[in-house]
Amino acid sequence: MRSLSQVPYAVVKLARDSQRPTGLNYIQNIFTDFVELHGDRRYADDPAVIGGVARLGSLSVTVIAIEKGRTAKERSFRNFGAPHPEGYRKALRLMKQAEKFGRPVICFVDTSGAGCGIGAEERGQGQAIAENLMELSTLCVPVISILVGEGGSGGALALAVADRVWMLSNAVYSVISPEGCASILWKDPKKAEEAAACLKLTSEDALRLGVIENILPEKDLGQKPFYDRIRGALAAELEQLSADPDLVTKRYDRFRRIGQVKERT
């Protein structure tokens, strides 16, 4: 029998817990000398996406995080972690800048999905996400993405076309929220628990399906040992990735393998 933490909808609730560390917490506790950069150079600055230059030990990196906020006021300001097109364009601008200067890119993903609404659509939400997917697939520097809470749909994938994708043990990664899935399939959002079981959205599911490479345990979540472990894992992984001359080809192959089905003979 599964433990409570392994029941898919229970994991969804844990991933949404307002007391979980937010993107800004990871930046402040893992990196040093962080300098935030603002704006997409086209429309505006999106507070749902925080990004800039920092140091991971002695290594200069570009770090990008989706930030939900914690209090009601912060969450409203951050649009509850649902980025607008300018947020994704800001992220892409920082990624291309990182490529220019040879800096690895590290992303922290926590979003129920991209911002929806007339304004977001008018400003090209779909195109902004699509451009990120395309550009990330050929970025010539190492990219590591960590899902630290919710990983919802294209809103999460726009920052997760990476060489390595990791998840916290109680994070989720899915094409749609359980409530949205239940509303579409059964016209009843109350069947979210059943939908969650069908979506295979837990970290264990993602690892088994080859969607991610590593599950990060949540022991001491939000405490110094927790952040120290992530810092050490990132440094070790980036050292290996930086020495790989065939990075882009392997990234392409990684995503081509996902979803492959072996035919029975």
Side-chain angles (χ1 to χ4, degrees), residues 81-107:
H84 289 104
E86 49 270 23
Y88 291 115
R89 284 193 280 261
K90 173 169 66 173
L92 181 57
R93 179 175 75 84
L94 297 180
M95 292 172 188
K96 297 299 287 185
Q97 182 194 74
E99 182 179 50
K100 178 179 179 179
F101 292 103
R103 291 192 299 263
V105 176
I106 300 169
C107 299

Side-chain angles (χ1 to χ4, degrees), residues 112-132:
S112 59
C116 58
I118 294 175
E121 294 302 327
E122 287 176 339
R123 299 194 300 276
Q125 184 70 285
Q127 183 179 9
I129 292 173
E131 286 179 349
N132 277 31

Side-chain angles (χ1 to χ4, degrees), residues 3-21:
S3 67
L4 180 62
S5 64
Q6 293 174 314
V7 175
Y9 198 60
V11 177
V12 172
K13 292 180 178 179
L14 289 172
R16 293 171 175 172
D17 192 333
S18 62
Q19 298 306 307
R20 289 178 73 84

Side-chain angles (χ1 to χ4, degrees), residues 243-262:
D244 191 339
D246 207 18
L247 203 62
V248 175
T249 299
K250 289 182 179 178
R251 187 185 307 144
Y252 175 83
D253 291 341
R254 176 196 185 280
F255 282 90
R256 290 290 293 175
R257 287 194 301 271
I258 295 174
Q260 285 186 352
V261 178
K262 293 183 179 180

